[in-house]
């Protein structure tokens, strides 16, 4: 049964964002995971002045990983990221869970969003021991499965 | 207090390996995490005929991420990976936990190792909300901290 991205990452509140540095090396860090948009687009809060924003401005391709070890759920999202400075969208996406990561809240002048447009989503299939395609959005359900 | 990589990832039995594809996109998948060598070098079992082996042969830079959500422990390792076909080392590194992932065990002719030489290791510091350097090995403890 094909599942879409939103269903597969439900309840996973932290994702790992991997970016590429100018020297080709790859770095990761945890991010508060918000619910994907219906088409699979991902949004994250970030600090505008941060190495990850510099890294995506140099190389837009990123990976977003979700890991639920007890549930053996692993999801890999390959996409393109860019910083977005949209205060109205920030207000819509903000939730109290973000306060632990951004204690100054929406008043933080360094707060920004990172938008990730999904090119490929896969999830771990324990039976076959392989990653299998996931349809990013509801409209595409089954299209890549 | 500076901690080395082996201490920081203790008890984290699954890591996420992110590789770069020829088109620049980044993919990840879960891997059984073995204890790092004293100098930080990481070893993973893999299938020799797999996309991750193809990907590291095209672009040796990888990221290995460890995530312990309840403990808020997040570790990022940037390094260079290469497949290694060394049956003697496989026998030394093999353990029963690997059977769930490689049911044919050491007799699997497609079994190989992936060696990751560490260039940079970082861990999430919840207080500052930033990644901070980790000394990869015991001998280097504190050298990058």
């Amino acid at each position: 049964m094909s599942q879409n991205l939103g269903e597969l990452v439900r309840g996973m509140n932290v994702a790992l964002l991997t970016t590429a540095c100018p020297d080709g090396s790859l770095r990761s860090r945890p991010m508060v995971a918000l619910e994907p948009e219906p088409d699979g687009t991902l949004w994250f809060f970030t600090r505008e002045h941060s190495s990850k924003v510099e890294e995506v401005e140099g190389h837009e391709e990123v990976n977003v990983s979700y890991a639920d070890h007890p549930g053996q759920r692993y999801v890999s999202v390959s996409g393109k990221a860019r910083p977005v400075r949209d205060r109205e969208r920030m207000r819509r996406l903000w939730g109290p869970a973000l306060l632990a990561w951004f204690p100054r809240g929406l008043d933080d002048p360094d707060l920004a969003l990172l938008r990730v447009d999904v090119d490929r989503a896969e999830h771990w299939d324990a039976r076959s021991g392989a990653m299998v395609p996931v349809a990013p959005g509801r409209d595409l359900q089954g299209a890549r499965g």
Side-chain angles (χ1 to χ4, degrees), chain A:
Chain A
M1 251 290 270
S2 178
Q3 285 184 294
N4 70 36
L5 183 58
E7 290 162 1
L8 277 167
V9 304
R10 193 156 291 152
M12 298 206 256
N13 303 318
V14 174
L16 295 165
L17 174 75
T18 304
T19 50
C21 301
D23 65 3
S25 66
L26 306 183
R27 298 173 74 188
S28 73
R29 77 286 288 157
M31 309 282 282
V32 176
L34 307 173
E35 191 185 345
E37 285 194 10
D39 69 354
T41 303
L42 304 176
W43 290 92
F44 299 96
F45 280 87
T46 181
R47 289 184 207 289
E48 188 166 343
H49 296 92
S50 59
S51 54
K52 62 181 148 323
V53 169
E54 278 173 39
E55 285 154 18
V56 303
E57 285 179 333
H59 182 102
E60 65 181 353
E61 304 276 1
V62 300
N63 183 270
V64 181
S65 297
Y66 299 81
D68 162 18
H69 299 301
Q72 279 201 299
R73 284 191 301 161
Y74 300 99
V75 178
S76 164
V77 176
S78 308
K80 295 182 183 67
R82 58 185 169 88
V84 173
R85 295 148 194 96
D86 176 341
R87 306 301 299 188
E88 176 47 34
R89 189 178 291 271
M90 282 191 226
R91 272 189 287 274
R92 287 209 310 278
L93 293 175
W94 184 262
L98 287 151
L99 262 184
W101 299 60
F102 303 98
R104 296 179 63 187
L106 287 166
D107 294 333
D108 188 339
D110 198 34
L111 202 64
L113 292 167
L114 207 61
R115 174 192 171 115
V116 178
D117 290 294
V118 178
D119 291 320
R120 179 204 292 225
E122 301 164 284
H123 79 106
W124 177 248
D125 176 50
R127 269 183 310 182
S128 64
M131 299 298 281
V132 297
V134 177
R138 285 177 204 133
D139 296 344
L140 298 171
Q141 186 161 349
R144 300 193 189 193

